[in-house]
Amino acid sequence: MSTILELDGVIAGYGAGDILKGVDLSVEAGTITCLIGPNGAGKSTVLKTVSGLLRPRKGTVTFDGHAIGRLSPKARLLLGIVHVPQERSLFPAMSVWDNLLMGGYLIKDSKVLRDRLDEAVASFPICRARAGEHAGSLSGGEQKQVELARTLVLDPRLILLDEPSIGLDPKSRQLVFESIRALSSSGRTILLVEQNARSGLAASDFAAVMESGRVQLTSTGASLLENPEVARLYLGAGTAGHATVLAPSTDSPGPSARTPGEEPR
Amino acid sequence: MHALVQGVILGVLTGGVYALMASGQTLIFGIMKVVNLAQGAMVILGAYLAYQLFVSFGIDPFLAIPITTLIMFAVGVAVQLLFLRPLRREDRSELSLLVTFAVALLLEGFMSITWNTSYRSINTGYENASWTVFGYQITQVRLWAFLLSLAALGLLFLLLNRTRFGRAVRATVQNPDSARLLGVESDRVAALGFGLGAATAAAAGSVYGLLYPFNSGSHYDLISRLLSIVVLGGLGSVGGAVVAAVIVSTSSAIVASTVSPSWSEMTFFVILMLVLLVRPQGLFGTVGRGAL
Ligand SMILES: Nc1ncnc2c1ncn2[C@@H]1O[C@H](COP(=O)(O)OP(=O)(O)OP(=O)(O)O)[C@@H](O)[C@H]1O
Ligand SMILES: [Mg+2]
């Protein structure tokens, strides 16, 4: 297996302060990696530095051997990185079909575009069934499917999914995770942020835990599921904690020490 | 009754022209969240360009429109590149008020120097021709102006709804981050969008110069009207701007012809306030985002 994405000492933020305080993370090609952590830890911000919505202040982001930290979102898209953000990302007053077409905005060859659209529609039939409707009039779960379909139009190599199951009922959530596994089995790499840590970890090959702007722990998805500390903090077993910092993975194989006082927002 | 119908005719015809000006302004807002206070000055500059082409080369203002729109498109792109792009994304909305006002003053200064401040009008010889239909007077120039505005709005509509660039513009209006994530270069869309807004100002300007006498200070009047129209229609909504323009100018014209011209200016501010009391986002606005 080879590393396709690597973040090394990434520092980034929006205004005055730094939100990411030195993020190290590597993602293996063809796998699903799940990023978990409390609200405000900086998970979405990590994805933004990979897709180019935000440029790192320090540190490097490497994708498939290219240093991409200073590239525009468009250039990264052309390399095969697609980001499905946390908030609703469809264009609400455009039709479902126009939303799909926007997925192919950079595709110049009309035959390629047609093939990709066909492929997307085959995987997500809702795009044909509701093609003419305003995307904003679809339910949250339906919109998520269109978002995933739009992602397929780009034929990406790396897909960044930010909390794809947020606000979905169990059935739709299951559907989303099935889609994610399908995307992955066609050889694509997926970096997933998931608040439903149990489903997220179960679906993933690898996992990383973020707190306060750093990756505190990386492991396989399965072993994190069995990790009692992680279970207590993120899987809803016992009282859900929120102010605990796990020890960095470099110091010890498992989480142990806690540093009090550092309250993530 | 006669006065009322006459008012409606006049109002609808004039409304078309305002719709064209306002559509450019609301488009610029939708794309960049920039309230362009220079839109009025751009209309007047368009009028001066049409005036100059007519005086120097005898080009009819209607035929001059392709030339003036091209020039103003370039002016718009330049304004965006020089004055708006350097602003940081986070405080662009607030600072843009100051910057576009400065641009308006700059254009005003340029126009005062080039054409001095005396009122100009474009005297084509057909400006007073009119038809009488069932006893109602229809000024030919106004009818042509109206039809031209409709055609320009139609082109704008096709551009926005049927082309790849138009899809990118609408996407940027509705969800700028998502658009960037799909490869839309927001800076480029912003520059071209600003150019497009200026181009509509130029087309409307040619017509404005035919309908009314103007000087370099005329843009103050115009911008206050345009702002009211754009807010009434819902910021960022082109369709809303068109409807609002027709409502505003029809109601002013009706009041002018049935009550008194001195009340007509007041009318649309009253309408504006009433609508905003009920729908703060304007007739067709969505909260926060444009609905283009
Ligand atoms: N656009 C922004 N401008 C300013 N600050 C921001 C912005 N987006 C996020 N932040 C700040 O960055 C910090 C990390 O946010 P981020 O969205 O990365 O967290 P997260 O781990 O994804 O949280 P959640 O689980 O709630 O989605 C937060 O404190 C947030 O306030
Ligand atoms: Mg997040």
Side-chain angles (χ1 to χ4, degrees):
Chain A
M1 235 183 297
S2 65
T3 301
I4 190 164
L5 174 73
E6 182 139 32
L7 282 78
D8 190 9
V10 168
I11 294 178
Y14 301 90
D18 294 331
I19 300 293
L20 303 186
K21 300 173 178 130
V23 169
D24 301 318
L25 180 70
S26 55
V27 174
E28 303 298 316
T31 64
I32 304 180
T33 300
C34 183
L35 201 54
I36 61 172
N39 295 134
K43 306 179 296 293
S44 299
T45 307
V46 166
L47 297 194
K48 289 180 202 170
T49 63
V50 178
S51 66
L53 280 184
L54 193 67
R55 288 190 182 170
R57 293 173 175 156
K58 287 214 183 75
T60 56
V61 183
T62 315
F63 176 73
D64 196 26
H66 306 270
I68 59 167
R70 313 223 61 80
L71 296 183
S72 69
K74 178 182 169 184
R76 300 187 202 203
L77 204 58
L78 289 172
L79 286 173
I81 302 175
V82 173
H83 181 176
V84 184
Q86 178 169 358
E87 57 283 357
R88 292 191 174 181
S89 74
L90 294 182
F91 306 109
M94 280 164 82
S95 69
V96 166
W97 192 252
D98 275 357
N99 267 279
L100 276 196
L101 282 182
M102 275 309 295
Y105 180 71
L106 288 181
I107 301 174
K108 296 271 155 55
D109 186 331
S110 60
K111 187 183 174 314
V112 172
L113 179 59
R114 224 170 316 123
D115 289 349
R116 298 271 182 80
L117 288 171
D118 285 346
E119 191 190 335
V121 171
S123 307
F124 298 93
I126 189 170
C127 297
R128 175 141 297 150
R130 314 281 293 267
E133 289 178 43
H134 275 187
S137 68
L138 270 53
S139 80
E142 293 163 347
Q143 291 194 28
K144 198 44 84 179
Q145 292 188 45
V146 178
E147 286 180 55
L148 290 174
R150 189 173 69 182
T151 307
L152 269 187
V153 175
L154 285 152
D155 192 23
R157 298 174 61 201
L158 171 64
I159 307 178
L160 310 166
L161 290 176
D162 203 342
E163 306 205 14
S165 75
I166 198 165
L168 301 188
D169 67 31
K171 192 160 159 282
S172 312
R173 194 185 310 161
Q174 198 188 343
L175 206 66
V176 163
F177 278 106
E178 276 167 19
S179 312
I180 293 174
R181 267 189 292 268
L183 287 174
S184 160
S185 63
S186 54
R188 307 170 206 274
T189 310
I190 294 171
L191 177 55
L192 170 73
V193 170
E194 199 35 78
Q195 212 55 258
N196 279 307
R198 195 179 296 279
S199 329
L201 293 177
S204 305
D205 306 301
F206 295 98
V209 181
M210 269 197 84
E211 277 200 28
S212 323
R214 286 195 181 82
V215 172
Q216 304 288 11
L217 177 70
T218 52
S219 173
T220 61
S223 75
L224 267 197
L225 264 181
E226 282 154 19
N227 181 317
E229 187 80 353
V230 169
R232 196 178 66 75
L233 290 174
Y234 302 111
L235 302 181
T239 52
H242 55 270
T244 315
V245 175
L246 297 163
S249 53
T250 41
D251 296 350
S252 60
S256 53
R258 290 184 202 166
T259 326
E262 216 180 325
E263 289 264 351
R265 265 164 291 175
Chain B
M1 184 59 202
H2 184 276
L4 183 75
V5 175
Q6 185 69 61
V8 170
I9 293 173
L10 182 67
V12 169
L13 294 183
T14 315
V17 181
Y18 279 103
L20 188 54
M21 301 177 197
S23 64
Q25 181 158 30
T26 209
L27 186 65
I28 288 172
F29 179 84
I31 297 173
M32 282 172 283
K33 303 289 169 275
V34 161
V35 175
N36 179 23
L37 293 182
Q39 186 77 1
M42 289 175 162
V43 171
I44 301 299
L45 181 55
Y48 272 118
L49 290 175
Y51 167 84
Q52 198 60 52
L53 286 170
F54 180 69
V55 171
S56 305
F57 305 105
I59 301 176
D60 185 274
F62 281 114
L63 301 179
I65 286 176
I67 309 173
T68 57
T69 48
L70 266 181
I71 297 175
M72 288 304 293
F73 179 82
V75 170
V77 171
V79 166
Q80 205 278 338
L81 291 182
L82 288 176
F83 300 114
L84 291 169
R85 184 165 302 183
L87 303 180
R88 287 195 326 184
R89 204 175 291 276
E90 300 90 73
D91 36 37
R92 190 176 281 170
S93 294
E94 294 97 62
L95 285 183
S96 69
L97 278 174
L98 291 175
V99 171
T100 58
F101 188 58
V103 170
L105 295 182
L106 203 71
L107 291 177
E108 183 188 342
F110 169 76
M111 293 186 289
S112 320
I113 292 169
T114 315
W115 290 283
N116 71 48
T117 53
S118 51
Y119 275 86
R120 305 294 169 109
S121 47
I122 307 177
N123 302 309
T124 49
Y126 59 74
E127 67 269 14
N128 290 321
S130 68
W131 288 304
T132 308
V133 182
F134 300 119
Y136 299 109
Q137 201 192 16
I138 299 176
T139 328
Q140 286 183 19
V141 146
R142 279 190 197 271
L143 183 64
W144 296 131
F146 175 73
L147 293 178
L148 177 112
S149 303
L150 276 194
L153 284 169
L155 278 181
L156 187 64
F157 179 85
L158 288 180
L159 181 71
L160 289 174
N161 288 285
R162 296 277 184 278
T163 68
R164 180 170 174 273
F165 170 71
R167 256 204 310 279
V169 168
R170 286 190 298 145
T172 304
V173 170
Q174 291 173 30
N175 196 334
D177 274 350
S178 259
R180 285 175 72 207
L181 285 176
L182 296 171
V184 175
E185 289 155 305
S186 44
D187 277 347
R188 209 164 140 250
V189 167
L192 294 177
F194 211 93
L196 211 54
T200 65
S206 289
V207 177
Y208 188 86
L210 274 172
L211 296 180
Y212 310 101
F214 57 92
N215 76 353
S216 55
S218 305
H219 72 97
Y220 292 107
D221 245 16
L222 211 47
I223 193 65
S224 63
R225 248 170 200 265
L226 288 181
L227 284 178
S228 316
I229 289 172
V230 165
V231 169
L232 182 63
L235 280 162
S237 162
V238 172
V242 172
V243 173
V246 173
I247 290 178
V248 160
S249 72
T250 307
S251 52
S252 316
I254 289 175
V255 170
S257 65
T258 57
V259 186
S260 140
S262 49
W263 283 99
S264 80
E265 284 298 307
M266 285 277 291
T267 321
F268 77 98
F269 288 114
V270 171
I271 295 178
L272 178 67
M273 291 205 283
L274 288 181
V275 170
L276 292 187
L277 276 179
V278 186
R279 272 184 73 83
Q281 69 271 42
L283 291 173
F284 293 89
T286 49
V287 188
R289 240 169 224 168
L292 187 62

